[in-house]
């Protein structure tokens, strides 16, 4: 059974930092390109970042570029998102997402339960 369990969210002041983790199980994590997506209150899902399983290359939404860093530890089956210089607009529930095939990217079939990030003074 595929499981994705996010953690690390919380309440942080503007300009602060958080590190999110996503523990994966039930599939060969190292073979899958993984993403972080988020959903702000009252808004739709927004793609945040992606990390390639083959060469570790990364890509970011313009809204987080230069502030967020995605990484992975295949030995620990864990995906990370380091978030720095946080802004109130980053307030959202953050999800890690797995594509349906190990050659896919954005065609997600599994999501975690999400972790809440609130940026407020």
């Amino acid at each position: 059974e595929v499981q994705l369990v996010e953690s690390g969210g919380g309440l942080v002041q503007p300009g602060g930092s958080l590190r999110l983790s996503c523990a994966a199980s039930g599939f060969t994590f190292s073979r899958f390109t993984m993403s972080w997506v988020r959903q702000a209150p009252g808004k739709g899902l927004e793609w945040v970042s992606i990390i390639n399983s083959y060469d570790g290359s990364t890509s970011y939404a313009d809204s987080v570029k230069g502030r967020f860093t995605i990484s992975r530890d295949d030995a620990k089956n864990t995906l990370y998102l380091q978030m720095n210089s946080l802004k109130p607009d980053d307030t959202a529930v953050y999800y890690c997402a797995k594509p349906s095939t190990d050659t896919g990217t954005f065609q997600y079939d599994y999501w975690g339960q999400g972790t809440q990030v609130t940026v407020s003074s």
Side-chain angles (χ1 to χ4, degrees), residues 5-52:
V5 181
E6 300 94 340
S7 61
L11 173 64
V12 63
Q13 292 187 340
S17 298
L18 284 174
R19 188 194 196 201
L20 306 185
S21 299
C22 171
S25 61
F27 64 103
T28 307
F29 177 77
S30 61
R31 294 175 58 181
F32 282 78
T33 291
M34 296 293 294
S35 294
W36 286 99
V37 297
R38 67 186 181 184
Q39 187 167 26
K43 297 187 178 180
L45 285 169
E46 176 189 16
W47 171 78
V48 173
S49 183
I50 191 168
I51 183 165
N52 190 290

Side-chain angles (χ1 to χ4, degrees), residues 24-97:
S25 61
F27 64 103
T28 307
F29 177 77
S30 61
R31 294 175 58 181
F32 282 78
T33 291
M34 296 293 294
S35 294
W36 286 99
V37 297
R38 67 186 181 184
Q39 187 167 26
K43 297 187 178 180
L45 285 169
E46 176 189 16
W47 171 78
V48 173
S49 183
I50 191 168
I51 183 165
N52 190 290
S53 61
Y54 298 104
D55 61 6
S57 59
T58 60
S59 185
Y60 299 91
D62 287 344
S63 58
V64 306
K65 198 172 296 182
R67 301 187 297 120
F68 290 11
T69 303
I70 190 173
S71 62
R72 63 191 299 158
D73 185 336
D74 289 343
K76 296 183 178 180
N77 290 345
T78 302
L79 180 70
Y80 301 100
L81 186 68
Q82 178 67 44
M83 306 187 296
N84 299 329
S85 302
L86 282 161
K87 305 175 181 180
D89 284 350
D90 295 318
T91 295
V93 178
Y94 284 72
Y95 302 90
C96 60

